[in-house]
């Protein structure tokens, strides 16, 4: 997959959350709010989100990466950085 920019990564995060919590209201979630708390995602929902993000982006997300996925800003930054790393250096 090509590297994601901030807008693309944010869209992937929000669409993935919406698949798990169809009625997710992102107007309630600030960029630095813990979306698991605000949207009431339980641990199984969170694991489903991790799987979905990995599936949609093609990146590997390990358990030690989970703290990077607590806020919309952090999750977006994580996907941007990881997809850039996975794509390799620019030629």
């Amino acid at each position: 997959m090509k590297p994601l920019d901030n807008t693309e990564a944010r869209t992937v995060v929000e669409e993935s959350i919406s698949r798990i919590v169809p009625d997710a209201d992102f107007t309630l979630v600030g960029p630095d709010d813990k979306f698991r708390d605000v949207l009431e995602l339980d641990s199984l929902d969170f694991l489903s989100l991790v799987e979905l993000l990995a599936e949609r982006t093609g990146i590997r997300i390990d358990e030690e990466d989970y703290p990077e996925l607590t806020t919309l800003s952090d999750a977006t930054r994580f996907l941007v950085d990881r997809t850039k790393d996975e794509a390799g250096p620019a030629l």
Side-chain angles (χ1 to χ4, degrees):
M1 174 175 218
K2 71 176 182 78
L4 298 175
D5 64 25
N6 283 331
T7 302
E8 294 167 327
R10 176 73 176 250
T11 299
V12 168
V13 171
E14 290 185 358
E15 286 178 355
S16 298
I17 292 171
S18 292
R19 284 193 189 179
I20 296 163
V21 183
D23 59 347
D25 182 357
F26 290 100
T27 63
L28 302 174
V29 185
D32 296 318
D33 291 340
K34 293 182 178 182
F35 60 79
R36 277 184 69 177
D37 296 337
V38 176
L39 299 174
E40 300 180 354
L41 274 73
D42 63 24
S43 57
L44 289 177
D45 291 335
F46 182 73
L47 291 176
S48 295
L49 174 62
V50 170
E51 280 185 25
L52 197 51
L53 291 173
E55 180 183 303
R56 293 188 67 192
T57 61
I59 63 172
R60 179 183 172 115
I61 302 174
D62 296 315
E63 192 171 339
E64 62 261 18
D65 298 321
Y66 293 178
E68 304 285 333
L69 303 171
T70 56
T71 69
L72 294 176
S73 293
D74 289 344
T76 298
R77 186 176 320 106
F78 174 81
L79 292 183
V80 169
D81 291 345
R82 190 59 67 90
T83 57
K84 190 183 321 172
D85 291 345
E86 300 266 333
L91 298 176

